């Protein structure tokens, strides 16, 4: 497993961002694990997370000009990544959105750098069924940006629906031609759990969940 994958999973455990139990997802599925990026709630934790994202982005080779962090969780994530890239010598412009349009002051739903004509890398926390990512693609297109890539911390590698056994990430990539990069995915989590005595007991429920909702 590449270094940024295991580093990220260890950071997520330390921050209590990766939990095991019973969680109802946005899709209604009941999952034996949950990733809550909101637990990266200190400057150091966000800086370390930004470092893992930036490693994943650099090793993917995706070409982009600018970052977009969808509200809400994408906002601190994209900010942390922009700061990390600045330490690596790239001063990336950054845009994010509001969930509700503002009707006074500067108005509108977008904040930060103009996306028109720019190759945009979307930064989000998790991909499950792909709904959040599709919404972000629509926001970028409406602002005349060019979606160039999507990076998430965790790809849960789940089917979007029973009739399509591809993962949501694979379906989005195939339909749009836009690559989906994950710092780590469910397969990495299973491998990581095998090598960790405290997590090994969670492997069975994870495998059962993958058999039900996992992609081919
Ligand atoms: P999709 O829109 O179905 O891809 O689900 C992604 C969103 O679900 C994330 O942006 C989160 O809001 C939420 N989520 C998590 O934060 N962590 C998880 O482990 C799983 C989910 C989820 O509900 O599927």
């Amino acid at each position: 497993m590449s270094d940024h994958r295991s580093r990220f999973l260890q950071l997520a455990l330390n921050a209590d961002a990766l939990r095991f139990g019973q969680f109802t997802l946005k899709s209604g599925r009941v999952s034996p694990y949950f990733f809550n990026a909101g637990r990266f709630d200190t400057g150091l934790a966000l800086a370390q997370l930004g470092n893992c994202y930036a490693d994943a982005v650099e090793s993917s080779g995706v070409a982009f000009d600018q970052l977009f962090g969808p509200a809400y969780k994408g906002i601190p994530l994209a900010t942390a990544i922009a700061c990390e890239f600045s330490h690596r010598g790239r001063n990336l412009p950054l845009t994010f959105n509001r969930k509700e349009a503002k009707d006074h002051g500067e108005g509108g739903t977008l904040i930060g750098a103009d996306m028109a004509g720019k190759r945009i890398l979307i930064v989000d926390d998790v991909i499950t069924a792909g709904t959040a990512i599709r919404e972000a693609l629509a926001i970028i297109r409406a602002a005349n940006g060019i979606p160039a890539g999507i990076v998430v911390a965790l790809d849960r590698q789940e089917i979007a629906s029973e009739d399509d056994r591809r993962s949501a990430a694979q379906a989005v990539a195939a339909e749009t031609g836009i690559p989906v990069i994950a710092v780590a995915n469910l397969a990495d989590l299973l491998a990581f759990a095998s090598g960790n005595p405290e997590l090994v007991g969670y492997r069975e429920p994870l495998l059962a969940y993958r058999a039900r909702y996992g992609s081919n």
Side-chain angles (χ1 to χ4, degrees), residues 53-54 57-67 78-94 118-121 148 181:
Y53 268 99
V57 170
E58 283 188 339
S59 59
S60 77
V62 66
F64 64 102
D65 309 306
Q66 189 163 324
L67 297 170
T79 307
I81 297 168
C83 292
E84 173 63 27
F85 271 106
S86 78
H87 299 311
R88 299 181 184 203
R90 268 192 90 180
N91 189 20
L92 287 166
L94 168 66
K118 298 289 179 2
R119 293 171 302 177
I120 308 291
L121 179 68
I181 304 152

Side-chain angles (χ1 to χ4, degrees), residues 58-141:
E58 283 188 339
S59 59
S60 77
V62 66
F64 64 102
D65 309 306
Q66 189 163 324
L67 297 170
F68 175 67
Y72 296 98
K73 286 194 180 150
I75 297 174
L77 298 175
T79 307
I81 297 168
C83 292
E84 173 63 27
F85 271 106
S86 78
H87 299 311
R88 299 181 184 203
R90 268 192 90 180
N91 189 20
L92 287 166
L94 168 66
T95 313
F96 49 96
N97 67 312
R98 290 189 178 88
K99 289 219 175 186
E100 304 197 359
K102 192 172 161 185
D103 60 4
H104 60 280
E106 76 278 16
T109 57
L110 290 177
I111 304 166
D114 185 3
M115 293 199 280
K118 298 289 179 2
R119 293 171 302 177
I120 308 291
L121 179 68
I122 300 170
V123 178
D124 213 347
D125 53 353
V126 183
I127 182 164
T128 304
T131 317
I133 290 301
R134 287 176 198 279
E135 283 166 13
L137 287 170
I139 293 168
I140 292 167
R141 292 198 173 108

